[in-house]
Amino acid sequence: MAEDYGGPRREFFRILMSEVQSSLGIFEGKPGNVLFSYNQDALQQNKFYTAGKLTAWSILHNGPGIKCLNHHLFEMMCGRSQTIDLSTFELETLHDTDIQHRLEKILQCKTTAEMLEVKMELGDWIAECGIPNIYSASLADFPAIYQQIITHYMYHRVSSMIQQFIAGMNACGNMWQVVQRNWETFAPLFTHTSKKLSRNDVRGLFDIKWSLQGSNKRDQEEDTIFLWEWWLMSIENNELDVTLEDLLIFVTGADSVPPLGFPHNCEIQFYDQEPGSQRFPFSSTCALILHLPRGITEEAIFKDLMQMSIKGSVGFGKV
C-alpha cells in the first residue's frame, strides 16, 4: 500500500480544485482572477455551497485551495471593504464589456460638462447600482462612485452566491471563520498570489541519495546531477517546453508546495540503465522520490528522457 496515499491525495485535490473552478458555472473572469457569477440556477442547486465545502475539504487535507479569486473580492469577503482601494482595479476582470465601457466613461469624467453627460446617459443605471445620490453628486464624488459601482458588481450583486459559498466552507468546522480571522495567511489559498517556482525552490525540495564517495556509481551520479542542474536552469530561462510546476506534479502530484509543506523532503535516487534498453526517469508520488538514470553525460539525451517522462506520463485519473 502507498505511504498514506499522499501522492494520489495531493493530485486528487489539485484536480478537484481545478474542476471546482471550471465545471460548476459559479465563477467568471480570467483564470486566476475570477469573480462569482450571478447564476441563480447554480444558487438554487447549491453549487456555491458545494464549491465552498470542497474548498474547505481541500484545505483541511493540506490541499491547494482554489487560488483563483480576485484579491479585492477575497478581502471584501473577509470583511475588509473599508480598507480596499479600487482605483487601480482592472476593469477586464468584470465579465460584461458594456459595464467596462460605462465604468471607463465614469473614470474619464474630468469636467462639469462630462459629468452632466454621464448623469444624463448613465444616471438611472448608476442609481440602480445602489447609488441614488448620483443626480446630486459633484465631480469630486465621481472617484468614490466609480469604486462603489465596482463593489456592487463584484460583491453586493452576488452576495447571495458568496454567502452560500461561505456557508459551504463553514459546514466543515466553521472553516471560513478561521480564514476570516487569518486572511493574510490564507490569501495564497484563495487568490493567485503564489509566486512561480524557481530553480532554487526546486533544489531546496530535494535530497540526493548518493552512492559512496569515490565509487564508480558516485561518479556516474555526479554526471547525471550536473545535467539535472543544467536542465533546471534551462526551464527557469524558458528554454524548454516544461515548467517547474510540471516537474513538481510529476514527483509529488501537487502543482505547488502544500500550505503545511510536504511530510518530508523529496529525494533523488538513481538506477542503472540495463544493456540494450532505455528506462525513463520515474517517480513515486507517495514516497516523494524521483528516480534518475546514472551515467547520463549528454544534455540532449537527458532533456529527451525528462521530456518524455513528464509530458508522456498518464497521470492520476487518466487511465
Side-chain angles (χ1 to χ4, degrees):
M1 301 296 285
E3 221 177 78
D4 83 344
Y5 300 101
R9 186 182 68 238
R10 284 186 291 270
E11 190 147 13
F12 169 76
F13 281 114
R14 177 176 61 82
I15 295 172
L16 178 65
M17 291 297 95
S18 177
E19 288 298 307
V20 166
Q21 295 177 46
S22 61
S23 298
L24 294 179
I26 65 169
F27 296 118
E28 61 184 26
K30 297 179 180 179
N33 189 26
V34 302
L35 305 176
F36 285 96
S37 300
Y38 187 65
N39 186 334
Q40 294 199 43
D41 285 339
L43 185 70
Q44 291 178 350
Q45 296 173 38
N46 279 327
K47 289 187 176 181
F48 296 91
Y49 179 91
T50 298
K53 195 168 186 178
L54 292 176
T55 301
W57 189 27
S58 172
I59 293 171
L60 287 169
H61 287 81
N62 202 23
I66 51 177
K67 298 189 296 187
C68 66
L69 294 181
N70 174 272
H71 68 95
H72 294 301
L73 170 61
F74 174 69
E75 290 192 35
M76 288 181 187
M77 292 170 63
C78 292
R80 297 182 50 78
S81 299
Q82 301 303 317
T83 63
I84 297 173
D85 180 13
L86 295 173
S87 60
T88 59
F89 178 79
E90 296 179 4
L91 292 180
E92 294 77 11
T93 306
L94 297 172
H95 192 61
D96 193 320
T97 55
D98 184 49
I99 295 172
Q100 293 177 25
H101 294 152
R102 293 181 180 188
L103 282 165
E104 285 176 355
K105 192 161 190 176
I106 294 170
L107 184 63
Q108 295 168 1
C109 184
K110 303 298 182 185
T111 66
T112 301
E114 291 172 340
M115 178 188 69
L116 294 174
E117 182 182 349
V118 167
K119 288 183 179 182
M120 182 176 296
E121 181 182 343
L122 302 177
D124 291 346
W125 171 74
I126 294 173
E128 290 172 357
C129 292
I131 311 169
N133 64 331
I134 177 61
Y135 300 106
S136 60
S138 67
L139 195 59
D141 296 324
F142 266 53
I145 289 172
Y146 171 80
Q147 297 195 40
Q148 289 168 353
I149 295 172
I150 293 174
T151 302
H152 167 74
Y153 278 99
M154 180 190 300
Y155 185 79
H156 296 301
R157 180 169 173 263
V158 292
S159 61
S160 296
M161 291 73 182
I162 292 172
Q163 291 309 311
Q164 191 181 92
F165 177 86
I166 289 173
M169 288 208 61
N170 278 332
C172 297
N174 290 320
M175 187 67 195
W176 184 257
Q177 294 181 24
V178 178
V179 171
Q180 194 170 15
R181 289 196 301 268
N182 305 277
W183 69 273
E184 288 179 300
T185 300
F186 280 93
L189 299 181
F190 288 88
T191 65
H192 193 61
T193 56
S194 300
K195 66 182 182 70
K196 287 178 65 67
L197 287 171
S198 69
R199 177 172 62 98
N200 286 333
D201 292 333
V202 172
R203 292 177 68 195
L205 289 174
F206 284 91
D207 294 329
I208 301 174
K209 295 301 180 181
W210 299 102
S211 296
L212 289 176
Q213 185 73 41
S215 66
N216 290 337
K217 286 188 174 182
R218 176 60 177 262
D219 291 341
Q220 293 174 334
E221 291 163 3
E222 289 178 353
D223 289 338
T224 296
I225 291 301
F226 174 81
L227 293 182
W228 160 260
E229 295 282 357
W230 162 83
W231 185 71
L232 292 178
M233 187 179 299
S234 298
I235 294 176
E236 189 172 57
N237 293 335
N238 298 314
E239 297 172 2
L240 302 177
D241 184 28
V242 176
T243 67
L244 296 173
E245 286 72 21
D246 290 335
L247 171 63
L248 195 65
I249 291 170
F250 180 70
V251 178
T252 70
D255 61 353
S256 61
V257 178
L260 301 179
F262 295 111
H264 53 77
N265 260 10
C266 304
E267 290 183 1
I268 292 177
Q269 296 186 11
F270 302 93
Y271 61 90
D272 294 316
Q273 292 284 25
E274 297 178 6
S277 66
Q278 185 180 61
R279 188 180 183 188
F280 291 98
F282 60 98
S283 66
S284 168
T285 58
C286 294
L288 301 175
I289 298 174
L290 172 63
H291 299 265
L292 297 177
R294 292 185 180 91
I296 304 298
T297 58
E298 296 184 28
E299 294 177 358
I301 292 176
F302 187 87
K303 182 191 74 172
D304 290 344
L305 288 173
M306 296 301 294
Q307 179 84 11
M308 181 61 72
S309 295
I310 293 175
K311 292 296 187 179
S313 61
V314 175
F316 178 74
K318 298 179 184 178
V319 177

